[in-house]
Amino acid sequence: MIPTIGMVADVTMRKNSFADYITDDVSEAIKKAGGLPIIFPTSDSKYAEDFLSKCDGMAFLGGPDVDPTLYDEEPIPELGYTYRQKDELELELVRQAYAAGKAIFGICRGIQVINVGLGGTVYQDFPSQSDRKVLKHFQAAPLSVTSHHVNVMAGSHLEKIMGDYPMVNSHHHEAVKDLGNDLKVTARAADDCVEAIESMNSDQLLAVQWHPECLYTKYPEHDALFTDFVNRVKKRMQDVDAV
């Protein structure tokens, strides 16, 4: 059976409302890796359990900034637009998926949502809140090309997938600050910005700050992130069946 991968649709801001949408990039990358994407609309968080019951693994994707009041901070002027209903749904999906033992993958905003969902915080604007000189994390070039290196922790799951010094693209201004529960940092940029996190003692969770869905057709190491995710989903499905 093809493993099903749940994803909440991205959202765009209209004049008086928000609209859900999904780009082909992530869906195609997951299908190429052997998974079947299922797209969930932004809905009340009370539907999280029902959504989760439809999928074998969860991917958390890019999108708007995370509402800082959800991790006990007030918004600073540099914060971008937020959508609290989307945050609340995804945070609940993070908590329930993690508790259920489902494999999880995060991309860009996804790494931030995962971290907050498990008790952490984020920089609302890393360039202005960092105490050191920062790299250009919002590249002017298309996301189909890479822009800077990341240093990957030796012995991490990510190192097995991508090596110790891969090039990535970059399209963000928020970033992981205080780590959530049972998480570890496994990659940083040269300015110390967190670029990847993993679950502490298992391969259940991996999240990256960049956009591998824009690179997977040209760069095998980014394609390998999706293959690894689907394989992690399959492994956990087999573990459940064996019980």
Side-chain angles (χ1 to χ4, degrees), residues 10-243:
D10 201 347
V11 64
T12 186
M13 188 168 59
R14 293 182 171 178
K15 184 176 180 181
N16 296 309
S17 64
F18 293 94
D20 288 333
Y21 74 96
I22 191 75
T23 63
D24 290 339
D25 296 332
V26 179
S27 296
E28 292 303 315
I30 286 174
K31 286 189 287 186
K32 180 177 181 293
L36 178 65
I38 298 177
I39 313 303
F40 301 136
T42 297
S43 307
D44 192 290
S45 61
K46 69 182 181 181
Y47 297 112
E49 184 176 359
D50 295 307
F51 284 159
L52 199 60
S53 69
K54 310 299 182 187
C55 60
D56 302 307
M58 279 296 307
F60 295 91
L61 313 180
D65 288 355
V66 181
D67 186 331
T69 63
L70 292 168
Y71 51 90
D72 299 324
E73 290 187 12
E74 293 298 318
I76 65 173
E78 293 82 3
L79 183 72
Y81 81 88
T82 62
Y83 187 13
R84 191 180 182 90
Q85 186 178 46
K86 178 179 174 66
D87 293 337
E88 290 174 341
L89 172 62
E90 290 195 316
L91 292 173
E92 187 60 28
L93 283 168
V94 167
R95 297 179 189 114
Q96 291 193 24
Y98 197 69
K102 293 182 184 287
I104 296 171
F105 183 40
I107 292 173
C108 198
R109 165 190 158 91
I111 191 175
Q112 298 148 18
V113 167
I114 288 168
N115 190 57
V116 173
L118 296 179
T121 66
V122 302
Y123 291 101
Q124 295 181 46
D125 182 62
F126 182 73
S128 65
Q129 292 183 295
S130 174
D131 59 2
R132 59 192 299 175
K133 186 175 181 179
V134 300
L135 302 180
K136 185 178 179 67
H137 285 284
F138 202 94
Q139 69 186 55
L143 289 177
S144 57
V145 299
T146 57
S147 66
H148 70 77
H149 289 91
V150 297
N151 299 291
V152 180
M153 179 187 296
S156 65
H157 188 68
L158 183 63
E159 186 193 34
K160 297 174 185 176
I161 302 168
M162 300 191 72
D164 63 353
Y165 197 53
M167 284 280 287
V168 304
N169 55 17
S170 199
H171 191 71
H172 68 100
H173 76 116
E174 292 196 307
V176 168
K177 185 167 60 175
D178 303 308
L179 270 182
N181 300 317
D182 197 33
L183 297 174
K184 61 183 178 182
V185 174
T186 55
R188 292 183 184 270
D191 58 8
D192 213 35
C193 180
V194 173
E195 293 283 344
I197 59 175
E198 298 178 18
S199 42
M200 184 69 73
N201 297 309
S202 73
D203 64 358
Q204 181 184 359
L205 185 154
L206 172 62
V208 300
Q209 184 58 73
W210 62 91
H211 284 272
E213 77 277 16
C214 300
L215 300 170
Y216 81 98
T217 59
K218 291 172 32 178
Y219 301 92
E221 64 271 30
H222 293 280
D223 187 35
L225 285 168
F226 294 97
T227 301
D228 169 76
F229 173 45
V230 173
N231 286 341
R232 288 189 289 116
V233 174
K234 290 178 179 178
K235 176 185 173 183
R236 289 181 174 271
M237 290 170 64
Q238 292 168 355
D239 290 345
V240 169
D241 291 341
V243 174

